[in-house]
Amino acid sequence: MMKAWGRRLLRVAGSASLTRQLLLWSLGALVLVWASFVYLGYQTGIHEADELTDGHLASVAALLLNLRASESVAVENTTQRAAMPWLKAHDYQQSLSVVQWDAQGRLLAHTGSAPLPAFSAAEGFSNLTLGPHAVVWRSFSQWSAARDRKVVVLLELNERDDLAEDIAEQMVEPGLWLLPVVALALGLALWRGLRPLYELSRDVAAIDPASAERLSARRAWSEFESVVASINTLLERQQAAMARERRLANEVAHELRTPLSSIALQASALDKGLDAEAQAQAVARIGQDALRAGHVLNQLLALARASRAELHEAKAPLDLAAIGRAVCADYAQAAWQRGDEIALAGPDQMAMAGHAVLLDLALRNLLENALKHTPEGTHISVQMGWADGGAAWLQVCDDGGRDAGGNAPPAPVDSLHLGHEIVRRVAEAHGGRFGAAAAPAPFTTCYRLEFPATPLAAAG
């Protein structure tokens, strides 16, 4: 019990929401794209910082060579840069250092915080590890055109990395502030865009299946047309089914009330001391009414059986001709006792897919109706065959509507046509139709089942 309540509360609290799913997917896509841009921006910042640093080093080296600046000021007379507290260290590269040598490798000038590197004739860019703390410096060295002077410009490598990180952070920071705003805007946009769906959901929830109300979209959204049409079709089918069930229930109640009331009256009459002849008539009437009530109940059970089989049993290959022969053989004795004749006309085999139990039930009901609702001496014919396109058909015909010569047909055992209702449901279970058909001569009445073509039927 507690587990059931827990599952129910979990469904209520965390029920699936299309809005939440759309929002999560949208935000997920946004975060993925945003993270991709941040990664690319970080990589681009490193690349641009490298190019900026290398270009700066090369420019300073060329500037010093062209100015022929070969002297350095003493440390105590060094002019400091103007204070710029709003700039980070890497913004003006405070650790830029310069070293100058002559052609013989004698030191001419050394400015900046970089330790003095070893003299080398090589030119170009390189990473130098200098000082007792093994700090890595990015350097660019170049000889003058006369090769009488060499300049090396150095920059601490960490400053270049700081520059790249700062560029990446400045790209990420606006995104961090923008992401909640975009999420809120997306949520509002999705809620506004899905409002017609919310309205449709409320309209569906407010529908009373027992009423004649139909669902109508408040706006002509093309995406909802098929949904609204499907829901209205289901409502029509449900209401039609409910109307049939109510009508059937009323007729069953009426049909059962008559024999049961008669049985009660005859039973009370037996208690009043009737003579022998009246007592025999009352007993006979009670038997007839009991049989009538029993027949109605049997039909109801058959109807319930047909509905249950329609829902739960899968179609299987069967031989309709074999079913027809078996049913006709079962009713041959009853027909002989009434002076009737039963004939079977059709192919020797009729392979199709369907419910053998339901088809047997339908054929038995049609034969029972033909035997009970026609005069004695009736000719009954069970006919079956193939229609165009491989569709199968089955019909039961009789000549009970002919001039019977005073042999009127017996009173119907039931006026509900429950047997026809059973056959109709069997036909619906097979996707077919049932109804009265034109009777071929010499028959006067004919009821026909038509089935759609199946692969087995088409092969047969």
Side-chain angles (χ1 to χ4, degrees):
M1 185 69 178
M2 294 300 295
K3 291 183 178 179
W5 273 104
R7 287 194 297 268
R8 183 177 179 183
L9 290 175
L10 184 60
R11 285 197 304 269
V12 173
S15 58
S17 170
L18 179 60
T19 304
R20 183 166 61 248
Q21 185 176 7
L22 289 175
L23 182 60
L24 290 177
W25 276 101
S26 301
L27 290 178
L30 178 64
V31 170
L32 180 62
V33 173
W34 174 77
S36 300
F37 275 110
V38 168
Y39 175 77
L40 292 176
Y42 182 81
Q43 297 299 323
T44 302
I46 293 177
H47 179 71
E48 293 296 328
D50 291 345
E51 291 185 348
L52 177 64
T53 300
D54 291 346
H56 192 188
L57 294 178
S59 298
V60 172
L63 178 64
L64 293 177
L65 289 173
N66 291 327
L67 292 178
R68 302 190 62 84
S70 58
E71 296 181 357
S72 59
V73 180
V75 175
E76 60 274 10
N77 297 325
T78 300
T79 302
Q80 300 297 327
R81 294 181 177 88
M84 291 179 287
W86 62 89
L87 295 179
K88 296 182 179 179
H90 58 72
D91 288 330
Y92 53 96
Q93 295 175 345
Q94 185 174 350
S95 62
L96 197 66
S97 301
V98 178
V99 180
Q100 300 185 53
W101 291 280
D102 61 9
Q104 289 73 34
R106 291 190 297 270
L107 182 65
L108 300 178
H110 179 203
T111 60
S113 59
L116 181 65
F119 175 78
S120 172
E123 290 183 304
F125 293 100
S126 63
N127 292 335
L128 302 177
T129 303
L130 305 174
H133 300 291
V135 178
V136 180
W137 294 77
R138 181 67 171 173
S139 67
F140 177 78
S141 58
Q142 185 178 5
W143 285 94
S144 63
R147 294 193 67 84
D148 59 348
R149 197 155 51 100
K150 181 182 179 183
V151 174
V152 178
V153 184
L154 302 97
L155 173 68
E156 189 175 349
L157 197 62
N158 288 335
E159 289 194 10
R160 186 181 64 177
D161 296 339
D162 291 342
L163 177 62
E165 291 179 2
D166 184 60
I167 292 175
E169 289 175 0
Q170 293 185 29
M171 292 184 63
V172 171
E173 186 176 357
L176 292 175
W177 288 101
L178 186 62
L179 194 61
V181 177
V182 173
L184 180 61
L186 274 178
L188 292 176
L190 288 174
W191 175 82
R192 182 61 183 85
L194 292 175
R195 193 164 66 178
L197 182 60
Y198 304 147
E199 295 174 354
L200 180 62
S201 300
R202 288 194 295 268
D203 293 342
V204 172
I207 291 178
D208 183 9
S211 67
E213 182 183 2
R214 292 294 181 271
L215 184 64
S216 60
R218 301 186 183 183
R219 295 185 182 180
W221 301 102
S222 58
E223 291 82 1
F224 293 163
E225 291 178 357
S226 59
V227 176
V228 173
S230 299
I231 293 176
N232 287 334
T233 300
L234 291 176
L235 287 173
E236 291 173 359
R237 291 179 180 176
Q238 183 179 10
Q239 290 168 3
M242 292 174 63
R244 288 197 305 268
E245 297 299 332
R246 284 194 297 266
R247 183 171 62 253
L248 186 62
N250 293 333
E251 292 177 346
V252 167
H254 175 74
E255 188 65 20
L256 286 176
R257 187 183 299 113
T258 300
L260 293 179
S261 300
S262 177
I263 290 173
L265 290 175
Q266 298 300 328
S268 63
L270 289 176
D271 293 337
K272 296 180 181 178
L274 299 175
D275 55 33
E277 182 180 358
Q279 187 174 7
Q281 292 177 354
V283 172
R285 183 62 183 274
I286 289 176
Q288 293 176 358
D289 291 336
L291 289 176
R292 183 180 179 183
H295 177 74
V296 174
L297 292 177
N298 287 334
Q299 295 290 72
L300 289 176
L301 291 175
L303 190 62
R305 184 181 181 186
S307 300
R308 184 172 62 253
E310 177 183 349
L311 292 174
H312 299 291
E313 294 181 10
K315 293 182 180 180
L318 56 89
D319 185 359
L320 187 60
I323 295 175
R325 287 192 295 268
V327 174
C328 289
D330 290 342
Y331 284 90
Q333 179 67 23
W336 177 78
Q337 291 176 351
R338 280 174 33 95
D340 297 341
E341 292 182 2
I342 296 181
L344 177 63
D348 293 335
Q349 290 185 343
M350 288 190 62
M352 61 176 290
H355 304 284
V357 174
L358 295 187
L359 293 174
D360 180 272
L361 182 65
L363 185 53
R364 289 180 183 275
N365 273 276
L366 291 177
L367 281 177
E368 285 182 4
N369 285 342
L371 290 172
K372 294 177 180 179
H373 299 168
T374 58
E376 295 179 355
T378 298
H379 297 276
I380 303 172
S381 176
V382 178
Q383 303 169 1
M384 60 184 68
W386 300 109
D388 295 337
W393 57 270
L394 167 68
Q395 63 186 19
V396 176
C397 303
D398 63 69
D399 60 355
R402 71 192 189 286
D403 184 5
N407 294 328
V413 176
D414 66 84
S415 60
L416 307 178
H417 304 293
L418 288 179
H420 286 179
E421 180 65 24
I422 294 171
V423 179
R424 183 175 295 105
R425 293 200 178 185
V426 171
E428 292 175 353
H430 290 80
R433 300 180 301 175
F434 168 73
F443 301 103
T444 58
T445 305
C446 196
Y447 289 97
R448 182 184 181 102
L449 287 101
E450 295 179 354
F451 307 101
T454 61
L456 286 176

